[in-house]
């Protein structure tokens, strides 16, 4: 089972975090800081898997973002790498070539897409088509709930 997923920039700024195991906030910050420092210090040609405490860390860099997952010792690293890649593919489809700014300004959508893909640290849906349909349905629902007058004021 996946313990948590972190997205952070090359500069070490945390952009998204999803925890599937409860930890106190202080410990989360310590874990995050320690992992970001460790991963950023690694050379690009080094393996994307590392042993850390009693967990395995699987990470992959896409453009300026690092996608990092912590899994249990008996979980499959390659499957986790595929989950990361699937998440990036879904973000790409939704945002049209996702970038760090898409995550910063639309973090609620990034969380929603992640929640459609993973549930409780386990893969929920493998079909990109089904996940994208759920996201489109949610977007439609959100548009219907937003009053038109409010949109006119914002413009």
């Amino acid at each position: 089972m996946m313990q948590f997923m972190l997205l952070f920039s090359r500069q070490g700024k945390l952009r998204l975090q999803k925890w599937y195991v409860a930890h106190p906030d202080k410990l989360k910050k310590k874990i995050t800081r320690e992992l970001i420092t460790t991963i950023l210090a690694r050379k690009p040609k080094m393996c994307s898997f590392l042993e850390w405490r009693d967990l395995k860390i699987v990470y992959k860099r896409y453009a300026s973002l690092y996608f990092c997952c912590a899994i249990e010792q008996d979980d499959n690293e390659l499957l986790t790498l595929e989950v990361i890649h699937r998440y990036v593919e879904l973000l790409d489809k939704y945002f049209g070539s996702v970038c760090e700014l898409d995550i910063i300004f639309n973090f609620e959508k990034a969380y929603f897409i992640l929640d459609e893909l993973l549930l409780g640290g386990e893969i929920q849906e493998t079909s990109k088509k089904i996940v994208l349909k759920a996201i489109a349905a949610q977007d439609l629902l959100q548009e219907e709930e937003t009053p038109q007058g409010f949109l006119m004021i914002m413009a």
Side-chain angles (χ1 to χ4, degrees):
M1 180 181 111
M2 191 179 296
Q3 302 289 308
F4 57 85
M5 179 183 264
L6 305 173
L7 269 70
F8 55 92
S9 69
R10 285 186 305 204
Q11 293 76 32
K13 300 270 190 214
L14 186 64
R15 298 301 181 202
L16 191 113
Q17 61 180 329
K18 184 71 174 189
W19 297 82
Y20 298 106
V21 175
H23 292 294
D25 284 344
K26 197 171 185 177
L27 181 59
K28 285 181 185 178
K29 285 179 182 166
K30 184 179 182 219
I31 290 170
T32 302
R33 197 172 35 246
E34 193 175 319
L35 273 177
I36 289 173
T37 305
T38 303
I39 291 171
L40 289 176
R42 293 171 64 88
K43 293 183 175 33
K45 297 279 186 194
M46 292 177 91
C47 179
S48 293
F49 313 133
L50 63 119
E51 299 278 332
W52 183 79
R53 296 186 184 180
D54 61 336
L55 299 170
K56 286 192 269 189
I57 305 300
V58 179
Y59 69 94
K60 180 90 169 113
R61 181 177 161 198
Y62 289 91
S64 65
L65 281 175
Y66 283 89
F67 292 73
C68 168
C69 295
I71 57 174
E72 294 172 354
Q73 285 294 334
D74 57 341
D75 285 339
N76 187 331
E77 301 95 338
L78 294 176
L79 183 62
T80 306
L81 212 48
E82 278 298 312
V83 169
I84 291 172
H85 188 70
R86 178 59 48 105
Y87 183 48
V88 172
E89 286 178 329
L90 287 166
L91 290 171
D92 268 343
K93 278 271 198 222
Y94 184 78
F95 291 112
S97 188
V98 69
C99 68
E100 190 175 346
L101 289 175
D102 291 323
I103 302 295
I104 293 169
F105 293 116
N106 300 295
F107 64 91
E108 63 283 328
K109 279 293 171 205
Y111 276 117
F112 184 78
I113 294 169
L114 185 59
D115 289 341
E116 286 295 314
L117 181 66
L118 296 171
L119 183 66
E122 299 285 347
I123 192 94
Q124 175 180 312
E125 182 56 64
T126 56
S127 169
K128 281 190 283 188
K129 197 178 282 187
I130 291 173
V131 172
L132 290 168
K133 274 186 187 175
I135 296 163
Q138 198 258 354
D139 282 348
L140 191 61
L141 186 65
Q142 196 173 15
E143 282 177 23
E144 289 173 1
E145 288 181 359
T146 306
Q148 292 300 323
F150 180 73
L151 291 176
M152 297 303 257
I153 293 169
M154 296 296 289

